[in-house]
């Protein structure tokens, strides 16, 4: 486990204090403050201020359960204050070191029914968070039918969001109005968490949850101008309360803590992107030896299936054959790519009903390939598509992971293609409590076999990678594959300029960048809406410690000079920053390779061409660097001339500014290496 460097923990008051009306807590630099509020009827709420202005007006807290209405009737029986400042080291990430500085307030409550409940608030300089804690108390089982947490933002706001029933979160994020007075625009249109919010005064918020554990994922809707919580329900019999008082969302047994509810609140977009509140709210790493968890770039027998030149199942165009995998492994070795994924290597693809994860097709020689991979020093990434049959998968986890580990496979891409999954509790939403339990079981079991997970069709990430760094990346996005077969023609250029500010703020994304061939054999008219340089820019703008270069070796060799950037770009960083951007328009990221002096810059734009200027002030003073810039040619355009690019080399220092033009649907990438 990485060492946690604790600078200071200052406990101001551990013991319960007498109730007081002044129940508030400010952030370490005093910018934000949060007040816990209780009305005469014992109903509870909170409000948030920044520099004296109210950002979140009094908003409700509490629960409805099948047993009790934990909505009012509370009395305050004590409070604790604790200030915290520490720096911890990530196993992998967008930064090596993360600072956690916050002030905490825990209010201790007793409900009229006798139930004890605490609420722990944490106030950071860039946001607030809180969770409900039910301390151990005799025989307390609750069936939560509604969580009442609300967020009454005081300003006019627009939120980037997805509808909660968007299958696998694979949709186009849209901007919707959150109106302070008007409740017609999106009332009852339940949305997925997270929301990225733009306020009328040009400031921002990111509303999400952290450390989702044994509880349903939150969804959000707007009622009377307030953002309200709607937990994902149980389905079937488990979804019915005995007393008929609503739909069951969660079964909890004390002691129990809910996931954190968090709102990042910043004045600028770079600050929003830089916030690490979500990771700080998750528990420290529970895996003792993390030396086997390695960030990797990988290729795969994959895109061929999506563009239908190969098949998952056996036949004349079967992709995952021994010969093809050998070709990929040798190509990866030659080009410094760490790993190769293979889909369709195992029995079951004919009907998607009975997958085996320990029996290969007979044109796949697992022993030979694992020995070859080992001798080449290239990893094999396994693939376990369950077709949504989580229950069978869970039952066999040990056998499956033992088999993979025995063949030297230490990363597995899991898949759950089914609108509802079959868990040990029957057909359930994957983001309901039962689904959340399943995914956790997978991560924990995989860790025992030293296997990292790339989870497709997941629950929206909530920062669990801090605790389980073997959960390396997840899908939960309308990824590149849609550009191969989507009837709507592929994702619009804007899509990739929304994701860094929305989905990717929730965690690493397996988007699969790197298409180098834009002729689509599957559906005429459907294609990747980007220039080749935009594809390179994605490797820096989209963070994933397992980063796939998704195209075929022959397509890469057709542009070997541009492929050089993919060979060189790391996927693990010392530090990262958003240099410039606007949600849905463009973004430019700069990242320093972990443990190196070298920087990588990536930019992507929507359908509008843009001139950009990137000051190189992140470079070390007094040092000279060699910059290689991969940029759109002057006449490049995603639709008409996607392959038109130029590669320039020059010496730069931290006094220089990089001027680059991005074409429509274009982008750029740069390596900046210290001489
Ligand atoms: C959907 C996943 O997103 C994709 O990556 C995978 O190839 C297919 N399912 C098959 O498992």
């Amino acid at each position: 486990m990485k060492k946690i460097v604790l600078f200071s923990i200052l406990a101001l008051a551990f013991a319960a204090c007498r109730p007081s009306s002044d129940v508030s807590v400010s952030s370490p630099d005093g910018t934000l403050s949060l007040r816990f509020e209780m009305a005469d009827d014992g109903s509870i709420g909170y409000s948030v201020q920044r520099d004296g202005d109210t950002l979140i007006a009094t908003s409700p807290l509490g629960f409805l359960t099948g047993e009790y209405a934990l909505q009012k009737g509370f009395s305050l029986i004590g409070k604790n204050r604790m200030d915290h400042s520490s720096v911890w080291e990530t196993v992998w990430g967008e930064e090596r070191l993360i600072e956690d500085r916050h002030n905490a307030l825990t209010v201790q409550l007793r409900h009229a029914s006798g139930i004890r409940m605490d609420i722990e608030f944490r106030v950071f300089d860039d946001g607030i968070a809180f969770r409900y804690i039910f301390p151990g108390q005799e025989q307390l089982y609750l069936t939560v039918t509604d969580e009442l947490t609300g967020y009454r933002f005081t300003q006019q706001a627009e939120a980037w969001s997805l509808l909660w029933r968007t299958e696998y979160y694979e949709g186009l994020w849209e901007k919707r109005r959150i109106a302070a007075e008007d409740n017609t625009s999106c009332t009852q249109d339940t949305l997925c968490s997270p929301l990225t919010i733009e306020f009328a005064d040009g400031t921002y918020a990111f509303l999400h949850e952290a450390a989702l554990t044994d509880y349903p994922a939150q969804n959000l809707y707007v009622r009377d101008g307030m953002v309200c919580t709607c937990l994902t329900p149980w389905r079937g019999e488990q979804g019915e309360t005995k007393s008929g008082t609503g739909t069951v969302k969660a079964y909890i047994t004390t002691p129990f803590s809910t996931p954190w509810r968090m709102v990042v609140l910043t004045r600028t977009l770079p600050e929003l992107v830089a916030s690490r509140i979500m990771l700080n709210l998750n528990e420290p790493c529970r895996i003792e030896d993390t030396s086997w968890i390695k960030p990797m770039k990988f290729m795969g027998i994959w895109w061929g299936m999506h563009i239908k030149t190969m098949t998952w199942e056996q036949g004349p165009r079967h992709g995952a054959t021994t010969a093809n995998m050998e070709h990929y492994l040798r190509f990866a070795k030659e080009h410094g790519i760490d790993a190769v994924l293979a889909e369709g290597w195992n029995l079951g693809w004919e009907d998607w009903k009975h997958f085996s994860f320990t029996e290969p097709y007979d044109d796949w020689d697992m022993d030979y390939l694992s020995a070859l991979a080992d001798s080449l020093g290239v990893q094999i990434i396994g693939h376990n598509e369950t077709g949504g049959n989580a229950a069978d998968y869970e039952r066999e986890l040990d056998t499956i992971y033992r088999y993979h580990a025995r063949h030297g496979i230490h990363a597995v891409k899991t898949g759950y293609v089914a609108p509802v999954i079959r868990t040990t509790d029957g057909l359930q939403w994957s983001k309901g409590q039962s689904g959340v339990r399943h995914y956790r079981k997978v991560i924990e079991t995989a860790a025992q076999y030293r296997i990292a997970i790339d989870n497709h069709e997941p629950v929206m990430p909530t920062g669990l990678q801090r605790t389980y760094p073997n959960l390396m990346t997840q899908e939960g996005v309308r990824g590149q594959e849609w550009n191969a077969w989507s009837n709507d023609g592929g994702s619009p250029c804007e899509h990739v300029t929304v994701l860094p500010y929305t989905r990717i703020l929730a965690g690493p994304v397996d988007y699969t960048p790197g298409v180098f061939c834009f002729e689509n054999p599957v559906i005429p008219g459907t294609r990747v809406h980007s220039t080749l340089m935009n594809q390179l820019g994605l490797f820096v703008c989209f963070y994933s410690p397992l980063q796939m270069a998704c195209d075929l070796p022959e397509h890469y060799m057709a542009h070997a000079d541009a492929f050089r950037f993919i060979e060189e770009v790391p996927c693990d960083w010392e530090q990262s920053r958003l240099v410039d951007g606007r949600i849905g328009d463009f973004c430019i990221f700069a990242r320093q390779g972990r443990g190196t002096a070298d920087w990588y810059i990536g930019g992507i734009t929507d359908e509008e061409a843009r001139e950009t200027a990137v000051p190189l002030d992140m470079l070390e003073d007094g040092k000279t660097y060699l910059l290689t810039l991969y940029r759109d040619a002057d006449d490049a355009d995603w639709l008409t001339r996607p392959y038109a690019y130029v590669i320039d080399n020059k010496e730069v220092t931290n006094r220089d500014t990089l001027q680059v033009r991005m074409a429509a649907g274009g982008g750029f990438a740069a390596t900046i290496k210290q001489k």
Side-chain angles (χ1 to χ4, degrees):
M1 200 196 319
K2 294 275 169 171
K3 202 167 142 217
I4 295 164
V5 191
L6 203 60
F7 284 154
S8 74
I9 291 184
L10 178 62
L12 288 187
F14 283 104
C17 307
R18 271 203 323 260
S20 140
S21 53
D22 175 28
V23 196
S24 62
V25 55
S26 299
S27 67
D29 73 0
T31 310
L32 289 177
S33 61
L34 180 146
R35 189 173 314 134
F36 170 73
E37 297 171 12
M38 186 180 271
D40 291 346
D41 64 358
S43 54
I44 50 177
Y46 73 102
S47 61
V48 177
Q49 297 74 31
R50 177 163 56 207
D51 294 333
D53 295 334
T54 299
L55 299 184
I56 302 178
T58 303
S59 304
L61 297 166
F63 297 91
L64 297 181
T65 73
E67 299 78 13
Y68 312 95
L70 301 176
Q71 189 176 19
K72 55 186 179 184
F74 283 104
S75 40
L76 179 65
I77 58 169
K79 58 180 181 166
N80 290 336
R81 277 271 290 108
M82 174 129 56
D83 298 350
H84 177 97
S85 177
S86 65
V87 174
W88 56 279
E89 187 169 349
T90 58
V91 175
W92 46 260
E94 292 181 87
E95 286 87 24
R96 191 167 61 79
L97 297 176
I98 292 185
E99 187 179 23
D100 179 1
R101 232 159 61 92
H102 66 259
N103 293 342
L105 163 73
T106 302
V107 292
Q108 296 160 340
L109 306 168
R110 188 182 300 284
H111 186 250
S113 59
I115 289 176
R116 280 272 298 104
M117 182 176 89
D118 296 346
I119 307 176
E120 181 182 356
F121 297 96
R122 290 189 186 173
V123 184
F124 302 78
D125 294 334
D126 56 356
I128 60 107
F130 54 88
R131 62 175 169 174
Y132 302 91
I133 300 169
F134 293 93
Q137 41 205 303
E138 223 175 301
Q139 286 199 329
L140 184 58
Y141 306 99
L142 294 173
T143 44
V144 175
T145 54
D146 209 358
E147 183 183 314
L148 303 172
T149 309
Y151 310 83
R152 195 179 288 285
F153 295 108
T154 52
Q155 284 199 53
Q156 291 283 341
E158 291 181 313
W160 291 89
S161 60
L162 286 177
L163 291 175
W164 86 285
R165 293 284 297 275
T166 309
E167 273 179 12
Y168 325 119
Y169 309 98
E170 296 186 14
L172 298 173
W173 292 69
E174 280 176 37
K175 202 175 185 174
R176 290 162 224 266
R177 188 86 181 278
I178 299 182
E181 293 92 356
D182 145 31
N183 68 0
T184 54
S185 36
C186 62
T187 310
Q188 306 306 343
D189 285 347
T190 305
L191 306 169
C192 290
S193 182
L195 299 184
T196 297
I197 302 174
E198 296 184 88
F199 293 111
D201 67 353
T203 62
Y204 296 90
F206 178 68
L207 195 168
H208 193 32
E209 58 185 332
L212 176 59
T213 302
D214 197 10
Y215 199 72
Q218 74 174 8
N219 305 288
L220 303 154
Y221 65 95
V222 182
R223 190 173 53 208
D224 300 334
M226 180 169 78
V227 178
C228 306
T229 305
C230 175
L231 300 174
T232 306
W234 278 83
R235 292 169 51 102
E237 274 176 30
Q238 299 98 324
E240 290 157 24
T241 48
K242 305 246 172 338
S243 51
T245 46
T247 309
V248 178
K249 309 289 178 26
Y251 289 98
I252 64 180
T253 309
T254 59
F256 185 82
S257 301
T258 66
W260 291 91
R261 277 64 191 93
M262 54 168 262
V263 192
V264 180
L265 292 159
T266 65
R267 294 187 195 277
T268 69
L269 212 41
E271 289 170 310
L272 192 82
V273 169
S275 175
R276 297 293 173 247
I277 290 183
M278 187 183 67
L279 286 175
N280 281 329
L281 291 168
N282 275 272
E283 298 290 321
C285 182
R286 287 200 190 141
I287 299 175
E288 214 152 294
D289 174 10
T290 57
S291 58
W292 55 275
I293 302 174
K294 301 263 188 256
M296 297 190 289
K297 272 179 296 181
F298 66 102
M299 291 179 59
I301 298 178
W302 180 78
W303 186 241
M305 275 85 97
H306 289 272
I307 59 171
K308 296 200 177 9
T309 56
M310 298 176 193
T311 59
W312 278 279
E313 66 279 6
Q314 261 189 326
R317 288 181 292 121
H318 188 208
T321 64
T322 305
N324 202 16
M325 187 62 170
E326 177 159 355
H327 170 57
Y328 270 76
L329 288 169
R330 292 192 187 282
F331 182 89
K333 166 76 181 169
E334 203 179 316
H335 295 276
I337 303 292
D338 308 295
V340 179
L341 161 78
E343 295 195 3
W345 64 275
N346 56 320
L347 301 184
W349 287 91
E350 289 72 18
D351 61 4
W352 280 64
K353 286 203 178 92
H354 304 101
F355 284 111
S356 165
F357 305 108
T358 52
E359 294 167 283
Y361 280 125
D362 58 18
D363 53 358
W364 176 271
D365 187 337
M366 185 61 110
D367 291 332
Y368 173 74
L369 288 168
S370 75
L372 176 67
D374 188 43
S375 71
L376 295 172
V378 176
Q379 298 284 316
I380 294 176
I381 298 188
H383 183 234
N384 295 175
E385 170 58 66
T386 67
N389 191 344
D392 281 0
Y393 188 55
E394 194 170 309
R395 269 190 281 274
E396 291 174 46
L397 277 180
D398 285 287
T399 314
I400 296 165
Y401 292 154
R402 199 174 301 119
Y403 172 84
H404 284 75
R406 187 156 52 83
H407 289 96
I409 298 175
H410 289 288
V412 169
K413 170 175 167 180
T414 55
Y416 298 84
V417 176
V420 288
I421 63 173
R422 183 176 297 284
T423 71
T424 47
D425 299 299
L427 284 178
Q428 296 294 339
W429 300 118
S430 55
K431 57 182 179 169
Q433 186 174 23
S434 181
V436 168
R437 286 175 179 158
H438 168 75
Y439 291 117
R440 178 63 60 88
K441 181 95 195 255
V442 168
I443 300 161
E444 288 179 349
T445 312
Q448 288 165 22
Y449 293 90
R450 300 189 152 215
I451 285 176
I453 295 294
D454 168 1
N455 184 183
H456 276 229
E457 295 82 32
V459 177
M460 184 60 71
T462 60
L464 285 175
Q465 70 266 28
R466 178 179 180 188
T467 315
Y468 301 99
N470 68 315
L471 172 60
M472 294 192 79
T473 193
Q474 307 197 56
E475 194 185 36
V477 71
R478 178 171 157 132
Q480 187 86 271
E481 64 196 38
W482 283 71
N483 298 324
W485 40 251
S486 178
N487 286 325
D488 60 14
S491 304
C493 299
E494 178 190 84
H495 182 53
V496 290
T497 67
V498 175
L499 296 175
Y501 309 108
T502 53
R503 161 63 184 83
I504 304 178
L505 293 187
V509 70
D510 191 19
Y511 177 85
T512 71
V515 171
F516 269 32
C517 176
F518 301 105
E519 282 72 50
N520 187 323
V522 185
I523 302 180
T526 288
R527 59 170 290 183
V528 184
H529 291 208
S530 104
T531 67
L532 201 141
M533 293 298 103
N534 177 291
Q535 292 295 308
L536 293 191
L538 293 175
F539 281 84
V540 184
C541 294
F542 284 16
Y543 173 63
S544 182
L546 289 180
Q547 185 72 282
M548 185 178 206
C550 73
D551 213 334
L552 313 177
E554 56 270 32
H555 292 166
Y556 286 137
M557 286 305 90
H559 302 283
D561 55 353
F563 185 59
R564 185 143 186 88
F565 179 77
I566 297 181
E567 291 172 354
E568 292 192 349
V569 66
C571 53
D572 192 23
W573 306 102
E574 188 69 23
Q575 49 175 320
S576 297
R577 65 179 76 155
L578 174 71
V579 176
D580 198 3
R582 255 196 327 267
I583 308 175
D585 290 338
F586 74 105
C587 67
I588 299 170
F589 277 86
R591 303 188 194 265
Q592 184 184 18
R594 188 168 285 212
T596 76
D598 304 335
W599 284 81
Y600 299 80
I601 303 185
I604 51 174
T605 180
D606 61 2
E607 66 291 339
E608 235 176 77
R610 282 169 219 281
E611 297 285 345
T612 58
V614 184
L616 299 180
D617 53 3
M618 70 289 277
L619 304 182
E620 209 180 316
D621 204 21
K623 302 276 186 196
T624 305
Y625 292 77
L626 183 64
L627 174 137
T628 303
L629 175 65
Y630 303 76
R631 64 175 172 87
D632 291 319
D634 293 344
D635 59 349
D637 177 281
W638 74 269
L639 187 58
T640 54
R641 286 186 54 77
Y643 303 105
Y645 62 85
V646 176
I647 302 174
D648 302 319
N649 288 296
K650 62 175 174 183
E651 285 191 357
V652 292
T653 70
N654 66 352
R655 290 186 297 282
D656 290 310
T657 295
L658 187 61
Q659 308 279 354
V660 202
R661 179 179 180 278
M662 298 191 275
F668 71 93
T671 59
I672 310 181
K673 299 194 175 181
Q674 212 173 74
K675 279 186 80 180

